[in-house]
Amino acid sequence: SIDLIITTAPTTLPWQPKQAPIMTDWAQQVNPTNVLAEYPRPQMVRSNWMNLNGVWQFQAGATNDPVPVGQNLSSVILVPFPMESALSGVMQYSAFSWYRQKFTVPPGWSGQRIILHFDAVNWRSQVYVNGQRVGIHTGGYDPFTYDITPYLTNSGPQEVIVQVYSPEDNGGEPRGKQTLYPGGIMYTSSSGIWQPVWLEPVPATSIGGVHLVPDIDNSRLLVNVGVSGATNGINVNAVAFDGTNQVASATGAPGNNFYVNLPSPKLWCPTNPYLYNLQVSLTTNSTTLDSVVSYFGMRKISLSTNNGFIRIYLNNQFLFEFGPLDQGFWPDGIYTAPTDLALKSDIEVDKALGFNLIRKHIKVERQRWYYWADTLGILVWQDMPSCNSYTGNPSPPAVDPLDYIAELTAMVTNHWNSPAIDRKST
């Protein structure tokens, strides 16, 4: 199941949503003690995890602030809604800001590595655990993780503090349609933590990533599994399931390509979005070290000449692609949909209107959105968020091409496996 959850007790500080000019019906379903509780990474699922979404302490900051270790902050925010949103309870922008939360590691996780996940923070973040800085990340649309095991105390509450710097118009970073001066084609900014925060335990040698390439012409699936930790004597096992029935399996080496053969595969398409289940495990001497559950769709995207024009083909057949430009803004959550069902509903409406495509316009969604696109069956043109030159700043900053390249690379890598994506554009 992708919906197994472990949640922590939220902070007792009060939180109330602000009132946006428009509030969706979904806003009423936001529960501050159980925020976005669905498993956040559907293509690499482990059963044990801890949801850190919820009410965090929060306050605006400045450039040279000391790290507020062990100190209560002045207000609260509902994570992971961006600070400018009504659902955050803040509804104000600050270039610098602080987030603070405490959590307790379950006793059953003892002896494992504890991984702290941030699925997206806009734009630059510094993370501290129990007063020690564990890392800095730059980029507003890609997930990042830290092994925080060395920073944890033996028992009791653990403190995590996040400092965020979000320059918006003043930084030249990839930001899509965000601006501090909404108007025309530009919309409200979405600063700070805006995708889920969560923990999971993993063994010393663990699955770090799964790269899948369907090959319908040869009825097989290419698999490449990245492994964190020692790999000597480690085998990678991949087992494909049609529903609950095992249909194929193969074994390979960490970091190397190998193939799972699928005779007469069922093909994925918008009218029949068939997904196979995939179990990936690491073994040594018949002992399973780590295991994750994933899924894949057997489909092929290609270009071919048709009536003198180069066209996009799906599964070796021309398909007229027809769909809206989806900018992914919500009136109450801005970049963050109020609930998982809200994400799903958006795509269901597109399907009901007869579309077979969504162009996700200069925004990268959280992974659950692509899961629903894969499951419901709609093709996706995925844009790269632009370093937009439109700004209310009379002296717009220079664009750093390295930031753009890093963000683009992360976007392609993190969403490669989604069968719904048939084009990535810059």
Side-chain angles (χ1 to χ4, degrees), residues 91-173:
M91 211 172 176
Q92 291 183 344
Y93 163 77
S94 178
F96 291 90
S97 58
W98 292 98
Y99 292 72
R100 180 175 181 261
Q101 181 61 286
K102 289 186 176 182
F103 61 88
T104 300
V105 178
W109 292 9
S110 177
Q112 300 188 78
R113 311 302 294 182
I114 308 303
I115 308 301
L116 175 59
H117 294 264
F118 291 87
D119 284 355
V121 179
N122 187 29
W123 172 69
R124 177 178 291 137
S125 64
Q126 299 189 65
V127 176
Y128 301 82
V129 173
N130 293 328
Q132 301 181 73
R133 189 171 72 182
V134 300
I136 301 174
H137 178 79
T138 299
Y141 297 92
D142 54 305
F144 55 98
T145 64
Y146 298 114
D147 182 344
I148 61 172
T149 313
Y151 306 95
L152 300 175
T153 59
N154 290 330
S155 62
Q158 316 288 330
E159 179 190 59
V160 58
I161 293 175
V162 184
Q163 184 191 42
V164 176
Y165 169 57
S166 183
E168 298 300 343
D169 302 79
N170 301 312
E173 78 284 0

Side-chain angles (χ1 to χ4, degrees), residues 199-312:
L199 291 169
E200 69 172 342
V202 301
T205 296
S206 62
I207 296 169
V210 179
H211 180 77
L212 307 175
V213 182
D215 179 0
I216 70 168
D217 295 324
N218 294 293
S219 299
R220 62 186 186 177
L221 175 75
L222 181 149
V223 179
N224 190 309
V225 176
V227 174
S228 299
T231 59
N232 292 338
I234 301 296
N235 292 318
V236 178
N237 303 305
V239 182
F241 295 86
D242 181 347
T244 59
N245 297 320
Q246 180 177 329
V247 292
S249 64
T251 300
N256 287 270
N257 294 342
F258 64 97
Y259 292 94
V260 176
N261 294 312
L262 290 159
S264 304
K266 300 176 181 178
L267 302 186
W268 184 98
C269 67
T271 55
N272 183 33
Y274 187 81
L275 298 173
Y276 288 89
N277 295 316
L278 183 70
Q279 182 172 352
V280 177
S281 58
L282 304 181
T283 61
T284 180
N285 298 324
S286 301
T287 299
T288 299
L289 303 178
D290 191 19
S291 180
V292 299
V293 174
S294 186
Y295 67 86
F296 63 94
M298 292 297 291
R299 67 95 177 94
K300 175 184 177 182
I301 304 295
S302 58
L303 297 178
S304 186
T305 301
N306 182 289
N307 295 326
F309 296 94
I310 297 177
R311 303 183 188 273
I312 299 175

Side-chain angles (χ1 to χ4, degrees), residues 335-356:
Y335 252 20
T336 307
T339 68
D340 189 62
L341 290 179
L343 280 181
K344 180 182 180 183
S345 176
D346 246 14
I347 298 174
E348 287 177 324
V349 169
D350 286 325
K351 293 276 291 185
L353 292 173
F355 298 126
N356 61 10

